[in-house]
Each structure stands twice: as structure tokens, then as C-alpha cells.
Amino acid sequence: MTRPLARVGIPGVPSRQRAPKNGVTCPYCFESVAPQRILFRCRGQAGRRQGCAPVLDEALAKYTGSTAGASLPPVFAASGRKGRADCPECGLATGNRACPECHNPLPSAYCDSPGRIVALVGAKNAGKSTYIAVLLHELMNRVGTELDASLVACDDRTIERYKRDFARPLLEERRLLPTTASAATGPREPLVYLLTRTRRGRFARPRNDSLALVLFDTAGEDLRSREVTDLHLRYLEAADAIVFLVDPLELPGARTGVRDAVAPPRGAGDDPDSEPLNVIARVTDTLRQRHGTRPGEPLPVPVAVALTKIDVLRPGLLRQSALHRSRSGSGVLDLDDRDAVNEQVRALLHDWQAGQLDTYLGQQYADHALFGLSALGGVPDEGRVGAGGVRPYRAEDPLLWLLYRFGMLEGVRPGGG
């Protein structure tokens, strides 16, 4: 007789990780804002509607570094707890909320849902932009269907940036994405989405759980020095979780286990500042400043560490590996599979003379997990996606684990253990 699935809670996760935070963290400037401080923006003039005329918003222009697009109806103070307020100048009611610091819009869905900022970190060549493009596409399609979930952009800027910088070049034109520009050259727009899952209990009515998801990619050079990190990556201090991408070709012993046709990354091994352990150590220092943790006290931020481009590993290495298996696709997190992949990646790190990375993570974080994935599913050729197109392999695994840690996804052990 088939044993029933054992549904597992979320052991070891502090309750404050699952509870909505007091206040809102702006997904643009990453300031923590109390609800009563949230501003409103007048709806303005449209057609026969007599609203306020546009004026130059100096705070928004300062954030964007340009006056283009910064002439908008004025903002005004009112309690953001109510969700709507009347403009004191023209009397029109508005639900358009704005950050009191940078004056960027705060979408209603973002303000009203338990926002989680997921910071995507990795050295140059780790494939961060490619990973974001593929992950979002999977959530909008195959994985979204599996989870009975929808993923909707919270603002027009997210829609435009995803199409322009990610989906069109990679998924439609099959061109590899360029290296992410440094934050020192100007502010980078985050991608802000609302992920909503319909959860169906056996006897209870279906209910919808929503999660505001903020993805923000970093340039490799932004992580090369502590000074640049402190100046340009304030979002790390606001992060509720970290996804750290590691290019296995950057690890000392990994090149003996890859296909001969794959060239090493340019400058691989020549720059100690870009080595994965050194990069994540700088991120850890930033997080410790935010949390005020004592030396030796584990950080409460969950960290997912993923080896990218595992398709370049020789097939013989994966034949008997947990990494060779696809996920079940059953809308839950298979904890037996999760444990097996975690142990397989740990063994690879130690085989590749990179065991210090795993040891360091265990010392510094209360909760970390190891993954192996491929965003493209094949080796690119002369700046273009391979002949088979984009064929992602387990790209969604880190986010599914984070959803489990956030209480948005159930975990099961198929063996009943």
C-alpha cells in the first residue's frame, strides 16, 4: 500500500520571519516607512476632471537623476493606513501612495501584502540577469500553473523593464543578456511583483495568500569592495532573504568536471575579490550591521546558494546524482529531494576544494540551503542561446524553498518520514 505524504511544518524558522512586518520597506530606496508616514499623490487632471496640475517633484528627480518624467501631480501627507485620501488642494480622492523619502509610487498591492525583498547576489559571470529573466518566465507559466499561483507586476516600470531588459532579448531574440551595469552609474529599477497562491484545504474554503516579491540584481563590480557595497547596495540591509549565485567554473577544482568545449570565464581565478567566498563574506558583514548580531551569533536571514550552469558538468558526474532528477512538479516542496540535492551540492563543493564556502555559511547563518540549476539548459554559442532554445532546469528551486520558509508553500516527505 502506498504510504501517504507526510506534511511538514517549518521547523527552526523564527516566527517573525512569517509575520507581516510593521510598516513598509520602499522597494526603490529601501527605506523603512511607517504606514502613517506614507504620502499620497493627487490623481491630477484628465479630460474634464479638474485635478491638480503637474509640478516638478524634486525628490523623485533626485532619485532618478533626471527631471524627465518627474513632473507629476503633487504629493501630500495623510495617513497611509486608510489606503485613500482626499487631496487638500483639489478635493479629489486618490489611492495613489508614494514613499515619503524618494516619492516613488508604492503600489497598493505592495503596501497591503506582506512584502519580502529577495536580494540576488553573485560575482561577475554568475548569470544573475539571465536567472531573473528565466525565473520570472517560469513563475508566469509552468511553475505558476503547478502552484496555482499568479505573478503580476505591481507597476508599469516593472512591466517595461522586464520586457525591455529581460524577456525580449533573451526569450524572444535569443540573445545573451549583457553584464549588469554598476549601481555607481545610476539607480537601477527593481522588479516588483505580487505573487498570489490559491490554497485549498480539505474541508475549508479556498483562500488566497499573497506575497509581494522584490527582485534586485547587482553588478559584479558592486561587490568587489566594501566601500561600493555600503554606498550602492542598501537593499542588502532590507533583504528578507538572499539568493547567492555561484558560477562553478570560478571554483578551484570544478574545471576538471566540465565539458571540454566550455571555456573558463574571462579572468577566472585571477581576482580574489570576485571569488564567491569573499563576495558572500562582504554581504554577511552588511547584514550583520543591519541586524546588530554579535560575533558568532547566526544571522536569521535565509540564504539560498545555487551553483549555476550545471548543464556544463559532464553527464557522467550527474548520472547517479540527485541533481540528475527533475522535480516532481506536485505543487509542494519535496523535502526528501531537497535534502538529497543539498547533500549532493555540498559534496561537490568539498570535491572542488570549495568546502570553506559551505563551512562559512553554516557558521554565519541559521538557515542556508544549497542548490544546483541551469537557467539556459545548454551551452550558449557566440553570444546567443543554444540551438535548443532556453530550457531551464530546476531554476525555480531556490524560490520554492524560500516560499516554504515564508510559510507560503507546504513541505512533504513522500516516504512518510
Side-chain angles (χ1 to χ4, degrees):
M1 183 176 67
T2 303
R3 300 179 67 182
L5 297 177
R7 301 196 173 257
V8 183
I10 310 178
V13 180
S15 59
R16 63 191 181 96
Q17 285 189 12
R18 297 196 296 266
K21 295 179 291 187
N22 294 324
V24 174
T25 299
C26 174
Y28 300 98
C29 70
F30 303 104
E31 285 287 338
S32 181
V33 181
Q36 60 269 25
R37 290 187 57 227
I38 294 176
L39 301 179
F40 285 83
R41 189 177 296 280
C42 178
R43 293 167 61 193
Q45 301 172 346
R48 296 182 179 180
R49 188 176 68 211
Q50 298 299 314
C52 293
V55 295
L56 177 63
D57 189 323
E58 295 183 358
L60 183 60
K62 181 179 179 181
Y63 170 84
T64 61
S66 171
T67 58
S71 290
L72 298 168
V75 295
F76 60 90
S79 176
R81 293 181 182 275
K82 297 181 179 179
R84 293 185 67 81
D86 294 336
C87 175
E89 296 296 327
C90 68
L92 287 178
T94 178
N96 299 331
R97 287 176 273 190
C99 171
E101 301 295 332
C102 65
H103 289 193
N104 273 290
L106 292 177
S108 296
Y110 182 79
C111 292
D112 299 335
S113 299
R116 298 287 187 176
I117 294 179
V118 177
L120 195 64
V121 179
K124 200 169 186 177
N125 301 316
K128 297 176 294 298
S129 297
T130 300
Y131 178 69
I132 285 179
V134 171
L135 175 64
L136 291 174
H137 184 264
E138 290 290 276
L139 288 173
M140 293 174 190
N141 295 279
R142 179 182 61 87
V143 176
T145 300
E146 173 194 332
L147 299 180
D148 202 1
S150 62
L151 186 75
V152 179
C154 283
D155 55 40
D156 291 340
R157 290 149 68 175
T158 291
I159 295 173
E160 175 58 28
R161 186 180 178 223
Y162 174 70
K163 288 182 178 179
R164 180 190 68 235
D165 297 344
F166 297 94
R168 187 175 298 130
L170 182 70
L171 302 175
E172 296 178 16
E173 300 171 1
R174 296 192 175 185
R175 294 185 288 109
L176 297 187
L177 300 180
T179 302
T180 303
S182 170
T185 63
R188 189 179 308 113
E189 292 291 313
L191 298 165
V192 187
Y193 287 91
L194 186 70
L195 179 69
T196 303
R197 287 199 67 212
T198 300
R199 306 179 72 176
R200 309 177 190 277
R202 179 173 296 180
F203 302 109
R205 284 184 175 183
R207 78 175 191 271
N208 293 330
D209 289 344
S210 296
L211 177 73
L213 181 65
V214 180
L215 290 174
F216 201 90
D217 58 325
T218 68
E221 55 266 38
D222 288 338
L223 298 168
R224 291 163 62 99
S225 71
R226 298 179 192 274
E227 292 75 15
V228 173
T229 298
D230 291 341
L231 181 61
H232 295 291
L233 302 185
R234 294 176 57 202
Y235 79 103
L236 285 174
E237 298 181 357
D240 296 286
I242 305 287
V243 175
F244 185 71
L245 301 182
V246 176
D247 183 352
L249 304 185
E250 297 278 3
L251 301 178
R255 289 211 53 79
T256 58
V258 301
R259 296 173 181 168
D260 297 331
V262 179
R266 186 176 300 175
D270 297 336
D271 184 1
D273 277 345
S274 66
E275 291 179 2
L277 180 58
N278 294 333
V279 172
I280 202 167
R282 286 191 289 276
V283 172
T284 302
D285 283 349
T286 300
L287 293 173
R288 284 201 174 281
Q289 293 175 25
R290 171 213 173 181
H291 288 275
T293 54
R294 298 184 300 271
E297 180 183 358
L299 282 160
V301 181
V303 175
V305 181
L307 297 181
T308 62
K309 310 175 186 177
I310 62 167
D311 51 285
V312 306
L313 299 173
R314 287 194 177 125
L317 183 63
L318 296 179
R319 192 166 294 132
Q320 302 300 323
S321 165
L323 291 172
H324 193 60
R325 300 193 299 264
S326 298
R327 280 194 317 104
S328 63
S330 56
V332 293
L333 183 67
D334 183 334
L335 297 177
D336 291 338
D337 173 76
R338 173 84 291 278
D339 291 344
V341 170
N342 192 75
E343 291 307 312
Q344 178 65 56
V345 175
R346 174 176 286 118
L348 287 175
L349 289 175
H350 286 269
D351 288 347
W352 293 339
Q353 305 166 41
Q356 279 195 76
L357 180 60
D358 176 53
T359 302
Y360 180 81
L361 290 164
Q363 293 169 341
Q364 302 296 323
Y365 294 91
D367 196 15
H368 82 279
L370 306 174
F371 301 84
L373 58 88
S374 173
L376 295 179
V379 180
D381 183 23
E382 295 184 354
R384 299 188 63 83
V385 174
V390 176
R391 294 173 286 113
Y393 178 74
R394 304 195 73 142
E396 69 277 9
D397 281 14
L399 184 61
L400 295 184
W401 177 73
L402 290 176
L403 292 178
Y404 169 66
R405 306 314 283 175
F406 292 154
M408 286 279 290
L409 188 67
E410 286 187 303
V412 302
R413 293 198 180 275

